Amino acid sequence: METKEFLAALGDALEPSRVVLDPDITSGFSRDMMPLAPSGTPLAVVFPIDTAEVAAIVKLCAAARIPIVPRGAGSGLTGAANAVDGAVTMVMTRMNAILEIDQGNRLAVVQPGVVNLDFRTAVESCGLFYAPDPSSYDWCTIGGNLSTNAGGLCCVKYGVTTDAVLGLEVVLASGEVLRTGRRTVKGVAGYDLTKLLVGSEGTLCIITEATLALRPKPAAPVTLVAAFASTEAAGEAVSGAIRAGLVPSLLEIMDATCIRAVEAKHGTKVLGDGETPAALLIGQSDAGAGVGRREMDELEVVCLRAGATFAYVTDDLAEGRMLLQARRDVLSSLEMFGTWLTDDVSVPRTRIAELISACEKISAQVGLTIGVVGHAGDGNMHPTIVYDAADPAQAAAAELAFGLMLDAGRALGGTVTGEHGVGRIKQDFLAREIGPVGLDLHRRIKNALDPDGLFNPGSMFTEAPTPAG
Amino acid sequence: METKEFLAALGDALEPSRVVLDPDITSGFSRDMMPLAPSGTPLAVVFPIDTAEVAAIVKLCAAARIPIVPRGAGSGLTGAANAVDGAVTMVMTRMNAILEIDQGNRLAVVQPGVVNLDFRTAVESCGLFYAPDPSSYDWCTIGGNLSTNAGGLCCVKYGVTTDAVLGLEVVLASGEVLRTGRRTVKGVAGYDLTKLLVGSEGTLCIITEATLALRPKPAAPVTLVAAFASTEAAGEAVSGAIRAGLVPSLLEIMDATCIRAVEAKHGTKVLGDGETPAALLIGQSDAGAGVGRREMDELEVVCLRAGATFAYVTDDLAEGRMLLQARRDVLSSLEMFGTWLTDDVSVPRTRIAELISACEKISAQVGLTIGVVGHAGDGNMHPTIVYDAADPAQAAAAELAFGLMLDAGRALGGTVTGEHGVGRIKQDFLAREIGPVGLDLHRRIKNALDPDGLFNPGSMFTEAPTPAG
């Protein structure tokens, strides 16, 4: 099929307003939030409104052998939603309905384009709770969360996106519609296709609907903040918390670079007039009814035993929010000093201090500021490089540091991505981590589901298409 | 390769004591605990002691095109470990080491042959907890739990086996060794092969090692028992508990048939001299520190509001164990009246009473006793048929009832297996549940991983081998 003919067929399949060819508009859909990833120019950007339209577009693309890049809000941090030259970018944001909230069975059925925060708010109004809360929760979509198996701050207690998915409706590369999973709490009928498809970064299917497990709304959190004179002491506190059997609902760490950035942004010291500490831990418990307070009091003792120079526990919600806000402000504070490039390394929880120390060495080696912030309770750290993107030497140094930190994480028994995914920036690191047998198995599964390489070529481990001649 | 030549090569690969050809011994490995499933005569039964031996056997079998049935303790309830004529049965019970318990990272590394109870006991001695607890936990193996994605009584709070698996080592059909997953809490490097392989019932690989997530050891449980004059009222109590936001660590139901069987076995009424109730709920909370008591007190109120004729909460551990023992004694009590055939239907939690009512109708229709027992808190029910296996008419009626209950569960929005799996008894039900698109995708994945159909032929959806002529 000629391109012209294909575009005409696309125009017939969708309302004109939902097939966009104007480069001034389509260029707005060429990238996500990862500055390092390659991106191309989409042939067209389409906005389907239901599963039938998705299936029709997939069939048209399959017939014309034109690849498809599925895309949510574009909040991703690996370029997995970046446009590919000559491919159709399929934007799922118009399929944003919450189809059902079933309180009796604690589940919901949603379309992929619903924004995480909108969904959270809707279920909370029913006394329920959707746990996965990536930092971009106020604008990322559930479909993107599913495609990347997104995590967030609550993971330490409640797990990641895959732990909340009961079933999916997807469109396969053949254009067929497949329903996986179930509406029951448990079910083992056949292979766990649901969990295979979650986290597949748009390379195996287009997600058109999801059935999600909900939890009872937890109690209002009790918050702890603790300051340390060394990152080792903070790391020891995290290990101590695990050994003590504590299960906080949130346990975050910030190093001195991040703390100073936040202090600079707000023009105030986080600990009043005291010195800037080497590390801060911020913990919460949502166990409620006195238990939350006791858990945070126990964590305070663990922190003090590990050498905390300051520790404070509060039941006051506004105060707790304010303390947590310092954590949430890290990226925007670092941004005042240059472009940020955030990495995503997950290490065993006992190795956090070693990872921070490795990042300090890498910072010195490449001559760039690196602030370490992360989900200490589950070992998923986001060392963030600050650099001048207009300076090619600094950009090269940033890319070097990005990779060195992944190598450091792997050397500590970790993985090259805890929650952001592989996308178009970590293919080589993925290949090294999973090895040739694992890579071969990935290719065989990809080939079984998408033999013509229709979905998201160039992401994860798949071949980028050769540009049309 | 001739069979004789193959057996000689097998004899060269393993110590003589670990290759068994004597039919008197191999016949002991021909079946699991499901009376309805077909089974054959193994060509040989092998007992590998390490991954290298597993890989060597797989390569030999692949070269000779002789299928392999992997097997743990044989506690399965679907015939998935039943011998296949002319195939090698690979018994994993000698690979039963607990390789590591890492308290700082709350994880363990085990071989597949370790018995669930032995593993639980070992981690509990370190102050940790492994949640999945199938009813056969005192003799089933972790490898079998992984292959079936086993559940248990704790699922309602802690999830099923897949929720506790961080990574696997497996031998593929090529004989290659693959490591999946990670030792970190979070990780999204590549497809989630770990969760694809868990629950694949031995049809995709042989599991040789698993890295398992552990939890802090929970507090001693507080136990509730409540009696109801109708199953509807008991079902309403379960729905009420979910709506009230309760998260018990266990919530089981028994119907009058089960209660009467247990009463007959013990020669005593469960509620003293009172009438046998229509249903019992047994709940526990392990939240500890007063919270457990409060949760069970709240559940008591929910039960009484739903019409419970009796409800009682106890902190006393021995009393709690005794109450739970009535639940654990159901199968052995029903066995006094004939052979039991236990089904495994999972329905949305709001539909439990309807499923019990459907089972009562099916019992009347086929003229056999059916006792309903199950994990009410997650909707996974085990209606159990009692029949005379020596009577062909009763055996046929039992098989009919078995299928009718699955159909009833599906009609209520449920699934044909909550935790036992498909094996060699539910292939047709699986096909109906997942539909032609799902079945085709299963075949494509099977073909991608095991193109020659080496692993566990005849289970789940795979073709049974045609007997050699």
Side-chain angles (χ1 to χ4, degrees):
Chain A
M1 204 187 292
E2 292 293 317
T3 301
K4 205 172 134 187
E5 207 182 324
F6 167 76
L7 290 174
L10 206 56
D12 289 344
L14 299 176
E15 265 180 28
S17 69
R18 295 191 283 100
V19 184
V20 179
L21 305 179
D22 180 349
D24 286 348
I25 302 174
T26 63
S27 64
F29 296 90
S30 65
R31 303 197 60 85
D32 66 13
M33 297 296 286
M34 165 47 65
L36 293 187
S39 73
T41 304
L43 173 66
V45 177
V46 297
F47 298 84
I49 54 166
D50 59 29
T51 302
E53 283 193 356
V54 174
I57 299 164
V58 169
K59 281 179 186 164
L60 279 177
C61 289
R65 298 197 164 241
I66 289 174
I68 302 173
V69 177
R71 182 186 173 95
S75 61
L77 289 163
T78 68
N82 282 9
V84 167
D85 281 339
V88 165
T89 288
M90 187 184 286
V91 181
M92 306 305 289
T93 49
R94 306 240 181 136
M95 290 177 65
N96 64 349
I98 297 169
L99 301 171
E100 182 187 355
I101 297 175
D102 177 348
Q103 293 175 263
N105 289 299
R106 282 190 203 146
L107 63 82
V109 182
V110 302
Q111 288 186 319
V114 64
V115 169
N116 183 298
L117 177 60
D118 294 342
F119 179 54
R120 310 177 74 73
T121 307
V123 303
E124 278 176 24
S125 73
C126 301
L128 293 166
F129 175 57
Y130 178 68
D133 62 338
S135 294
S136 56
Y137 72 100
D138 52 348
W139 68 291
C140 64
T141 63
I142 296 290
N145 297 169
L146 292 164
S147 296
T148 55
N149 190 14
L153 274 58
C154 289
C155 296
V156 58
K157 182 166 180 180
Y158 296 113
V160 295
T161 300
T162 196
D163 299 309
V165 187
L166 296 173
L168 296 174
E169 180 195 76
V170 304
V171 174
L172 298 172
S174 58
E176 291 170 304
V177 177
L178 172 72
R179 294 196 79 94
T180 72
R182 55 190 200 271
R183 286 174 66 96
T184 56
V185 179
K186 287 157 72 182
V188 291
Y191 297 154
D192 198 339
L193 300 179
T194 306
K195 291 193 195 295
L196 172 66
L197 298 176
V198 170
S200 63
E201 300 189 6
T203 64
L204 294 179
C205 64
I206 314 264
I207 296 168
T208 52
E209 191 184 292
T211 303
L212 302 171
L214 304 172
R215 294 172 178 274
K217 196 169 155 185
V222 178
T223 305
L224 160 133
V225 61
F228 298 85
S230 72
T231 51
E232 287 73 20
E236 177 49 35
V238 173
S239 299
I242 306 303
R243 280 196 306 271
L246 298 176
V247 185
S249 55
L250 175 154
L251 183 55
E252 298 285 309
I253 191 169
M254 298 164 61
D255 74 355
T257 304
C258 295
I259 301 166
R260 274 195 296 266
V262 172
E263 288 177 339
K265 181 177 179 177
H266 293 284
T268 170
K269 292 278 181 187
V270 293
L271 300 182
D273 290 332
E275 272 192 43
T276 300
L280 276 185
L281 281 182
I282 299 162
Q284 286 192 329
S285 171
D286 61 8
V291 180
R293 178 78 205 195
R294 209 189 50 241
E295 284 189 345
M296 288 300 100
D297 286 344
E298 279 180 48
L299 182 57
E300 183 178 25
V301 171
V302 166
C303 288
L304 293 170
R305 281 204 187 126
T309 54
F310 171 85
Y312 175 68
V313 176
T314 179
D315 306 88
D316 186 90
L317 286 185
E319 201 174 25
R321 250 194 303 271
M322 203 185 65
L323 290 168
L324 193 56
Q325 195 57 41
R327 159 64 182 95
R328 293 202 186 271
D329 283 345
V330 166
L331 284 188
S332 61
S333 302
L334 287 172
E335 203 161 30
M336 293 171 30
F337 303 98
T339 297
W340 55 257
L341 173 63
T342 196
D343 216 333
D344 174 40
V345 195
S346 211
V347 292
R349 288 173 280 195
T350 49
R351 315 296 295 268
I352 290 171
E354 290 166 88
L355 181 70
I356 295 177
S357 160
C359 293
E360 283 166 4
K361 288 196 188 94
I362 292 164
S363 168
Q365 179 187 339
V366 304
L368 291 176
T369 298
I370 298 177
V372 182
V373 61
H375 315 306
D378 57 38
N380 185 195
M381 308 300 285
H382 297 304
T384 301
I385 308 156
V386 184
Y387 68 110
D388 177 358
D391 176 342
Q394 286 209 13
E399 193 161 353
L400 173 65
F402 189 82
L404 289 173
M405 295 192 296
L406 298 179
D407 292 337
R410 280 238 295 137
L412 293 168
T415 171
V416 296
T417 172
E419 60 184 7
H420 294 171
V422 175
R424 302 186 70 175
I425 51 162
K426 292 189 179 174
Q427 293 104 323
D428 294 343
F429 297 95
L430 172 70
R432 281 200 289 278
E433 180 165 327
I434 64 178
V437 178
L439 194 60
D440 176 58
L441 191 50
H442 275 74
R443 291 202 174 110
R444 281 188 275 148
I445 290 172
K446 169 74 174 177
N447 194 49
L449 270 79
D450 179 18
D452 294 324
L454 191 71
F455 290 138
N456 214 6
S459 261
M460 214 177 223
F461 62 91
T462 60
E463 299 289 325
T466 43
Chain B
M1 204 187 294
E2 293 292 317
T3 302
K4 207 172 132 187
E5 207 182 325
F6 167 76
L7 291 175
L10 206 54
D12 290 343
L14 298 177
E15 266 180 28
S17 68
R18 295 190 283 99
V19 184
V20 179
L21 305 179
D22 180 350
D24 285 348
I25 302 175
T26 62
S27 64
F29 296 89
S30 64
R31 303 196 61 86
D32 67 11
M33 297 295 287
M34 165 46 65
L36 291 188
S39 72
T41 304
L43 173 65
V45 177
V46 296
F47 298 85
I49 55 167
D50 59 27
T51 303
E53 282 194 356
V54 174
I57 299 165
V58 168
K59 280 180 186 164
L60 279 177
C61 289
R65 298 196 165 242
I66 289 174
I68 302 172
V69 178
R71 180 184 174 96
S75 61
L77 289 162
T78 68
N82 282 10
V84 168
D85 282 339
V88 165
T89 288
M90 187 184 286
V91 181
M92 306 304 289
T93 50
R94 304 238 180 138
M95 291 178 64
N96 65 347
I98 298 170
L99 301 171
E100 183 187 354
I101 297 175
D102 177 347
Q103 292 175 264
N105 289 299
R106 280 190 202 146
L107 63 82
V109 182
V110 302
Q111 288 186 317
V114 64
V115 169
N116 184 298
L117 177 60
D118 295 341
F119 179 54
R120 310 177 74 73
T121 306
V123 303
E124 279 176 24
S125 73
C126 302
L128 294 166
F129 175 57
Y130 178 68
D133 62 339
S135 294
S136 56
Y137 71 100
D138 53 350
W139 67 291
C140 64
T141 64
I142 296 291
N145 298 168
L146 291 163
S147 296
T148 54
N149 190 12
L153 274 58
C154 289
C155 297
V156 56
K157 182 165 180 180
Y158 296 113
V160 293
T161 300
T162 196
D163 299 310
V165 187
L166 295 173
L168 296 174
E169 179 195 77
V170 303
V171 174
L172 298 171
S174 59
E176 291 170 304
V177 177
L178 172 72
R179 294 196 77 94
T180 72
R182 54 190 201 269
R183 286 174 67 96
T184 55
V185 179
K186 287 157 70 182
V188 292
Y191 297 154
D192 198 340
L193 300 180
T194 306
K195 291 193 196 292
L196 172 65
L197 298 177
V198 170
S200 63
E201 301 189 6
T203 65
L204 295 179
C205 64
I206 313 266
I207 296 169
T208 51
E209 191 185 292
T211 303
L212 302 171
L214 304 173
R215 296 172 176 274
K217 196 168 153 184
V222 178
T223 306
L224 160 132
V225 61
F228 298 85
S230 73
T231 52
E232 288 73 19
E236 176 49 35
V238 173
S239 299
I242 306 303
R243 279 196 307 270
L246 298 177
V247 185
S249 56
L250 175 152
L251 185 55
E252 299 284 310
I253 193 169
M254 297 163 62
D255 75 353
T257 304
C258 296
I259 301 165
R260 273 195 296 266
V262 172
E263 289 178 337
K265 181 177 179 177
H266 293 284
T268 170
K269 291 279 182 188
V270 293
L271 300 182
D273 290 332
E275 272 193 45
T276 299
L280 275 185
L281 280 182
I282 299 163
Q284 286 192 329
S285 171
D286 60 8
V291 180
R293 177 79 205 195
R294 209 189 50 241
E295 283 189 347
M296 289 301 100
D297 286 344
E298 278 181 50
L299 183 56
E300 183 178 25
V301 171
V302 166
C303 288
L304 292 170
R305 281 204 186 126
T309 54
F310 171 84
Y312 175 68
V313 176
T314 179
D315 306 88
D316 185 90
L317 287 184
E319 200 175 25
R321 250 195 303 272
M322 203 186 65
L323 290 168
L324 192 56
Q325 195 57 42
R327 158 65 182 95
R328 293 203 186 270
D329 284 344
V330 165
L331 284 188
S332 61
S333 302
L334 287 171
E335 204 161 29
M336 292 169 34
F337 303 98
T339 297
W340 55 257
L341 173 63
T342 195
D343 216 333
D344 174 40
V345 195
S346 212
V347 293
R349 288 173 280 196
T350 47
R351 316 296 295 268
I352 290 171
E354 290 166 87
L355 180 70
I356 296 177
S357 158
C359 292
E360 284 166 3
K361 287 197 189 93
I362 292 165
S363 169
Q365 179 187 339
V366 303
L368 292 177
T369 298
I370 298 177
V372 183
V373 60
H375 315 306
D378 56 40
N380 184 195
M381 307 300 285
H382 297 304
T384 301
I385 308 157
V386 184
Y387 68 109
D388 177 357
D391 177 343
Q394 286 209 13
E399 193 161 352
L400 173 66
F402 189 83
L404 289 173
M405 295 192 296
L406 298 179
D407 293 339
R410 280 238 295 137
L412 292 168
T415 171
V416 296
T417 172
E419 59 183 7
H420 294 170
V422 175
R424 303 186 69 176
I425 51 164
K426 291 189 179 174
Q427 293 104 322
D428 294 344
F429 297 95
L430 172 70
R432 283 201 288 278
E433 180 164 327
I434 65 178
V437 177
L439 194 59
D440 178 56
L441 190 49
H442 274 73
R443 292 202 173 110
R444 282 188 275 148
I445 289 172
K446 168 74 174 176
N447 195 49
L449 270 79
D450 179 18
D452 295 324
L454 191 71
F455 290 139
N456 215 7
S459 260
M460 214 178 222
F461 63 91
T462 60
E463 298 290 324
T466 43

